[in-house]
Amino acid sequence: MQRFWGALLASALVAVTAAQAEQLTEFPRTSAIIDVLVNEHEFDAAQVEAWFAEGEYIARNVESLAKPAETTRTYAEYRPLFVSDETVENGKRFMEDQAEWLLLAEERTGVSAEVIAAIMGVETRYGNFLGVHRTFDALATLAVTEGRRADYFQRELINFLLISRDQSFDPLSVKGSYAGAMGYPQFMPSSYLAYADDLDGDGNIDIWNDPVDAIGSIARYLSEHGWQRDAPIATRAHVSGEYRQVELNSFDRDRTLADVAALGWDPLIAAQDDAQVHPIRLDGDEGAEFWLGYRNFWVISRYNRSVAYSMAIFQLSEALRLSQ
């Protein structure tokens, strides 16, 4: 699953050495990572060294992570990337093809088929675009680049290599996002280990080639983050009075519908007064839009902590629901 670490990785755009290393093997962190793989996880030293020697350091990936589309575009510019006649039509076909498995995942977890399909549509165009970067290169680049997230990506790289060993595939053969997200659902390796699901029960959890396991994995991910069955995701809201006194576009969970209603937020789809809400302002096609995200909106944001991303998932899921 692709997560954008823009703000956190801006500080990673620093020189690792005065000579600006260009190969993975030239970075100081590489030898330490190899030591962990060999000594703690019992990988063959020659094999690991060969992977790093063949791997590619991709400097532009570090820069890309510092400037994700969610933070560089208005919502009016961002939304059409994922919510369009084409993505809805393709999503409708995907849902028809996978109707049996989407229904099973929904029955087991409560996560609606439309939301599962929408995530697949935004992440990989329903499995038609899994990424062009070798996952090993993407993770290794970010693991060896000094910065506050280097340790995180080192753990993800190690997890990826553990998965490749367990699944018996060549780690240099897999491609995904520039952040190291993998397969149909674009899971990071740690998410695969925690949430990947063998929905078809064939004894093999394959999110790279099997859309069925990807469907189950997305549903399980959202379910285990607290998805509420049949509960609303988000609604447009009218605003008035002191509505500006609330913090906008935040995923903090300390506000209720009663709290924001008292300040002038009037949702088109109401919920219980004690419902968790997230007041949202977006720059839409016709100017400012005001929304309230409910608990399930927050759950979607666990996939990618971005208001724009979560809203695109919601709006694509609604378009898919209405297309059935």
Side-chain angles (χ1 to χ4, degrees):
M1 166 183 44
Q2 184 168 323
R3 298 183 183 275
F4 296 94
W5 303 101
L8 294 175
L9 279 172
S11 63
L13 302 177
V14 296
V16 177
T17 67
Q20 288 288 299
E22 296 180 354
Q23 302 296 324
L24 291 172
T25 53
E26 297 175 354
F27 285 78
R29 289 182 61 93
T30 299
S31 60
I33 296 172
I34 292 174
D35 286 344
V36 171
L37 288 165
V38 172
N39 296 323
E40 296 185 21
H41 299 286
E42 300 181 345
F43 281 88
D44 179 75
Q47 178 63 80
V48 176
E49 290 170 359
W51 288 333
F52 275 91
E54 187 175 341
E56 178 186 1
Y57 179 78
I58 313 173
R60 66 182 179 277
N61 283 12
V62 182
E63 298 175 4
S64 295
L65 282 164
K67 299 177 181 179
E70 292 92 329
T71 62
T72 60
R73 299 174 186 262
T74 67
Y75 189 67
E77 296 168 333
Y78 180 82
R79 183 182 185 276
L81 299 176
F82 305 109
V83 187
S84 66
D85 291 344
E86 180 181 9
T87 54
V88 173
E89 187 60 31
N90 290 341
K92 182 179 179 180
R93 286 198 295 270
F94 175 82
M95 293 186 69
E96 291 170 352
D97 291 343
Q98 303 297 336
E100 173 188 357
W101 301 108
L102 287 165
L103 177 60
L104 178 59
E106 183 171 351
E107 289 175 345
R108 287 184 177 178
T109 65
V111 181
S112 69
E114 293 85 5
V115 170
I116 298 169
I119 287 179
M120 193 91 74
V122 169
E123 292 291 343
T124 59
R125 296 293 193 270
Y126 311 104
N128 290 312
F129 183 74
L130 303 184
V132 298
H133 302 268
R134 286 196 309 194
T135 300
F136 178 88
D137 296 341
L139 293 172
T141 291
L142 298 169
V144 302
T145 301
E146 293 291 351
R148 70 177 70 182
R149 298 301 298 180
D151 288 346
Y152 165 80
F153 283 104
Q154 175 176 323
R155 291 192 297 272
E156 293 294 344
L157 174 62
I158 292 170
N159 284 334
F160 171 65
L161 292 174
L162 291 170
I163 292 167
S164 73
R165 183 169 66 184
D166 181 65
Q167 294 284 332
S168 300
F169 63 76
D170 177 1
L172 298 182
S173 68
V174 173
K175 291 184 178 180
S177 81
Y178 59 77
M182 314 179 298
Y184 277 75
Q186 290 293 276
F187 270 9
M188 295 299 287
S190 58
S191 292
Y192 175 92
L193 292 173
Y195 306 109
D197 185 76
D198 182 16
L199 185 62
D200 57 14
D202 66 357
N204 180 43
I205 305 177
D206 182 0
I207 64 169
W208 297 272
N209 306 292
D210 187 351
V212 175
D213 285 351
I215 288 168
S217 299
I218 292 170
R220 181 181 176 192
Y221 183 95
L222 296 177
S223 175
E224 295 200 16
H225 280 85
W227 186 268
Q228 297 177 338
R229 185 187 295 266
D230 298 326
I233 299 173
T235 178
R236 289 290 288 263
H238 297 299
V239 294
S240 61
E242 300 177 330
Y243 74 92
R244 292 186 180 89
Q245 292 189 17
V246 304
E247 184 179 3
L248 297 172
N249 299 356
S250 168
F251 288 116
D252 291 343
R253 292 182 286 169
D254 56 356
R255 287 158 298 186
T256 67
L257 181 56
D259 294 334
V260 300
L263 295 172
W265 289 77
D266 180 19
L268 271 64
I269 300 175
Q272 297 295 320
D273 284 347
D274 61 354
Q276 171 188 318
V277 294
H278 304 277
I280 297 163
R281 181 193 183 280
L282 296 173
D283 293 316
D285 292 329
E286 299 180 2
E289 299 177 3
F290 295 93
W291 294 76
L292 284 175
Y294 289 116
R295 167 72 182 188
N296 284 345
F297 188 84
W298 178 88
V299 173
I300 291 172
S301 77
R302 300 308 89 190
Y303 218 95
N304 183 324
R305 290 169 176 79
S306 158
V307 167
Y309 175 92
S310 301
M311 186 60 70
I313 295 294
F314 165 63
Q315 293 186 336
L316 179 55
S317 72
E318 284 293 281
L320 291 173
R321 180 178 64 82
L322 295 173
S323 73
Q324 302 303 304

